[in-house]
């Protein structure tokens, strides 16, 4: 089992920054891929980005150049640094873990598929005001 504890959300003005954290126990990130999703009220859960073996990353187009993953191996934690935040970024943000399979590694669709993920964090609210 993998347990994910997510934190770092809050209220920020447009153009500001937040850093979300996702701490994992029970499995190393070297064997489990980490996806990030967000869900705004009345909308479907959407892919934000993913990080997997050898620190490979994949970002949704709407966050490229603004959001960045980083890791702290000693703390077994992945961070999502969010800069230049926009009101449309307002959502509950979730981290989720999946096995880093060959199909996950090579197929961007698999990284974006909710069904690829087995373990989920509790979510953290991000609110961006104009």
């Amino acid at each position: 089992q993998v347990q994910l504890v997510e934190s770092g959300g809050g209220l920020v003005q447009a153009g500001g920054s937040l850093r979300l954290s996702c701490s994992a126990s029970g499995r190393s990130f070297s064997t489990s891929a980490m996806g990030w999703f967000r869900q705004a009220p009345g909308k479907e859960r959407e892919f934000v980005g993913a990080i997997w073996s050898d620190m490979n990353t994949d970002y949704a187009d709407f966050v490229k150049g603004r959001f960045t993953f980083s890791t702290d191996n000693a703390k077994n934690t992945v961070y999502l640094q969010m800069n230049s935040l926009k009101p449309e970024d307002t959502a509950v943000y979730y981290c989720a873990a999946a096995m880093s399979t060959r199909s996950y590694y090579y197929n961007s669709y698999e990284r974006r598929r909710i069904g690829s993920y087995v373990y989920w964090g509790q979510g953290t609210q991000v609110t961006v005001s104009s």
Side-chain angles (χ1 to χ4, degrees), residues 1-16:
Q1 293 285 329
V2 174
Q3 297 184 47
L4 306 176
V5 179
E6 189 172 357
S7 63
L11 175 65
V12 66
Q13 290 283 102

Side-chain angles (χ1 to χ4, degrees), residues 8-62:
L11 175 65
V12 66
Q13 290 283 102
S17 299
L18 286 172
R19 188 179 70 167
L20 307 184
S21 65
C22 183
S23 297
S25 62
R27 186 176 294 274
S28 169
F29 287 111
S30 66
T31 59
S32 296
M34 182 68 67
W36 291 74
F37 294 79
R38 68 186 188 186
Q39 187 165 22
K43 296 185 178 180
E44 297 291 328
R45 189 168 297 187
E46 65 179 346
F47 176 80
V48 174
I51 182 168
W52 66 101
S53 62
D54 299 323
M55 294 293 102
N56 299 294
T57 58
D58 185 6
Y59 296 97
D61 288 341
F62 57 82

